[in-house]
Amino acid sequence: MEENQSMGLMVLALYTLMLFAPFLLLVILLFKKNKEFHDKVLIAWLAVSVLNSFVEFIKITEPPNSIPILLDLNRIFLLSNLFFFHWYLKSLIKSEYKWCNNLVWTLLPSLLWSVACVVNWFFQQFFLKNGQSYNSLVLEYDHYIEWLEVPLIIGVIVIGIWAWSKLKEMLKYEENTSLSIHISNLRKVLLFLVSIYFIVVSWEYCLSKVLQNESIRLVCITFLLWLIVGLVIALGFYFLRQKSLYKKPKHYIYSNKAIEKLFGFIVDIMVNTKPYLNPSLTISELAVMLGETPQKVSEAIKLNTNQTFYSFINKYRVDEAKKLLQDPNYTSYTILSIGLEAGFNSKATFNRVFKNETGVTPSNYCYKVKCKERI
């Protein structure tokens, strides 16, 4: 008997520690400097978790029927976890992800429950004149309401699988060691979160109904609580270390092989079509020729040459000018005419870019390679 009492006190202590963990993490996060957007989402999530923990703590000390309204509110807080779980992951992975319509479906379980609570309150206030206090939906229809948590469980699984596959794809093509660490860190966060949900669901819907022996139940509860507390502590550690992943240039969703292939197309079109001969060529026009977006074309050039679009184009123009300066068919052309033929829009630009690329002016280049003297 005394052993069961000691075990019961340990269970109570572990349960209390688990409930107050969100509050401690919230306090630490509030004092964190240089908060990113995902940190603010996490703060909102933890604030809701603190309210949920507060109600859970009251349930330990008070009979459930004495706090009927809080019981119904507690279910709203619980179901809202799906929304915050989804929003937090999206805010880390998607660039400047603030709000999107596909977040609404994760709010449906908590919204539907909120509507049910309002309807229940309205019905009792205006149709039941028996002087009774508010009757909780949780207490009245507990066996039916358990099924409302099914969307939460399914949603967590679906979002977890989506996020895991996205992180796996990002990690596959990631060469930046620092960002790889943050991707791996988020995978741990995801694993710990899903594990906590899985443990709670396993107990609520399976183990608590199967285990009848009180001693075995206490041992099982103690083990699971130790496991959850450990996961929560680890989760807090990784939460605080987590950085946004979208600061990485967007090529993580456009693989290295695809980038190299696109750059090959860019080189081919430069050699065969010579679009650089157009003085007003823009990256948007080149992107249209390639059937790609300007962002991807710019990224392909930058990653393969470490040059900007205009530096890359001007190099081809300089090479073209060098060929024309030595071409016998262009001996009657002036230096300015050669520059214009090569795609430059002025003599000043031609001289400046040519000297930057070759180290000499066009006139000095002519003297150096012994081509016909031009004005």
Side-chain angles (χ1 to χ4, degrees):
M1 188 69 177
E2 291 182 0
E3 184 179 345
N4 285 348
Q5 288 180 344
S6 300
M7 191 74 74
L9 289 174
M10 182 182 294
V11 167
L12 181 61
L14 288 171
Y15 191 63
T16 305
L17 178 61
M18 183 183 71
L19 293 179
F20 278 94
F23 175 75
L24 296 174
L25 184 57
L26 177 62
V27 172
I28 295 172
L29 197 59
L30 285 172
F31 287 96
K32 180 181 177 181
K33 296 181 179 178
N34 303 319
K35 297 183 187 68
E36 298 180 68
F37 179 70
H38 73 272
D39 290 319
K40 297 175 183 177
V41 174
L42 182 57
I43 286 173
W45 189 2
L46 290 171
V48 172
S49 298
V50 167
L51 293 174
N52 184 65
S53 298
F54 175 72
V55 177
E56 290 289 340
F57 185 74
I58 292 177
K59 285 164 62 176
I60 297 175
T61 57
E62 297 290 337
N65 56 10
S66 67
I67 51 171
I69 295 178
L70 288 182
L71 289 177
D72 285 350
L73 285 175
N74 193 40
R75 191 58 60 100
I76 295 174
F77 299 149
L78 175 65
L79 294 174
S80 68
N81 275 274
L82 180 63
F83 166 72
F84 286 108
F85 180 56
H86 189 206
W87 197 11
Y88 179 73
L89 292 173
K90 285 279 192 178
S91 67
L92 281 165
I93 296 173
K94 295 289 186 178
S95 175
E96 298 181 356
Y97 192 95
K98 303 252 172 129
W99 180 262
C100 188
N101 291 335
N102 64 8
L103 274 174
V104 174
W105 75 267
T106 58
L107 271 173
L108 284 178
S110 57
L111 287 175
L112 290 174
W113 177 250
S114 300
V115 170
C117 291
V118 171
V119 171
N120 180 51
W121 175 85
F122 183 84
F123 181 78
Q124 292 182 33
Q125 289 294 315
F126 295 96
F127 293 95
L128 296 179
K129 303 294 184 180
N130 53 9
Q132 292 182 355
S133 59
Y134 176 80
N135 291 323
S136 168
L137 285 174
V138 173
L139 293 175
E140 292 291 326
Y141 307 102
D142 185 44
H143 295 295
Y144 301 103
I145 286 170
E146 280 186 354
W147 291 101
L148 287 176
E149 294 180 11
V150 172
L152 170 64
I153 299 166
I154 295 174
V156 167
I157 294 172
V158 171
I159 295 170
I161 292 173
W162 166 81
W164 189 268
S165 62
K166 180 64 69 174
L167 293 174
K168 185 178 180 181
E169 179 185 351
M170 292 168 67
L171 198 58
K172 181 178 179 181
Y173 297 111
E174 185 50 54
E175 297 177 355
N176 184 311
T177 304
S178 176
L179 197 61
S180 295
I181 291 172
H182 296 311
I183 293 173
S184 179
N185 187 79
L186 183 54
R187 293 180 75 179
K188 292 184 178 70
V189 167
L190 183 62
L191 185 63
F192 290 148
L193 277 170
V194 173
S195 297
I196 291 171
Y197 284 124
F198 177 78
I199 292 170
V200 172
V201 168
S202 297
W203 173 256
E204 290 287 337
Y205 291 93
C206 183
L207 294 175
S208 63
K209 302 182 186 304
V210 172
L211 299 176
Q212 301 298 325
N213 186 286
E214 189 65 26
S215 298
I216 296 176
R217 283 173 62 89
L218 278 174
V219 171
C220 186
I221 291 173
T222 304
F223 172 75
L224 292 178
L225 283 175
W226 270 116
L227 189 56
I228 291 176
V229 168
L231 288 172
V232 168
I233 293 173
L235 188 61
F237 173 74
Y238 286 109
F239 267 144
L240 295 174
R241 292 182 60 191
Q242 186 60 52
K243 298 292 183 182
S244 296
L245 306 180
Y246 58 74
K247 288 185 177 180
K248 170 76 176 171
K250 296 180 182 178
H251 73 273
Y252 68 78
I253 55 174
Y254 198 61
S255 72
N256 292 343
K257 290 183 178 179
I259 287 289
E260 291 173 5
K261 187 176 180 181
L262 175 57
F263 183 71
F265 290 148
I266 294 172
V267 172
D268 286 342
I269 203 171
M270 286 292 155
V271 173
N272 299 318
T273 309
K274 298 185 177 182
Y276 54 84
L277 296 179
N278 175 10
S280 59
L281 178 68
T282 64
I283 193 169
S284 297
E285 292 172 337
L286 180 59
V288 170
M289 296 178 195
L290 293 162
E292 289 287 355
T293 63
Q295 290 81 6
K296 287 180 180 177
V297 173
S298 175
E299 184 179 349
I301 293 172
K302 181 69 175 176
L303 289 176
N304 285 276
T305 67
N306 199 31
Q307 292 178 319
T308 64
F309 167 74
Y310 287 107
S311 297
F312 177 74
I313 294 298
N314 283 335
K315 187 177 184 302
Y316 277 92
R317 288 170 176 162
V318 169
D319 290 340
E320 183 71 17
K322 288 161 68 176
K323 292 177 184 177
L324 295 179
L325 286 169
Q326 299 179 68
D327 192 335
N329 295 323
Y330 287 82
T331 55
S332 62
Y333 281 60
T334 64
I335 289 178
L336 175 58
S337 298
I338 292 292
L340 296 177
E341 284 291 321
F344 291 99
N345 56 11
S346 69
K347 184 177 181 179
T349 302
F350 177 38
N351 287 336
R352 175 176 54 79
V353 174
F354 193 99
K355 187 173 182 179
N356 287 340
E357 286 291 330
T358 65
V360 294
T361 63
S363 299
N364 290 336
Y365 179 81
C366 280
Y367 177 78
K368 184 179 178 180
V369 299
K370 300 180 181 179
C371 59
K372 180 178 173 59
E373 184 177 349
R374 292 177 172 85
I375 300 174

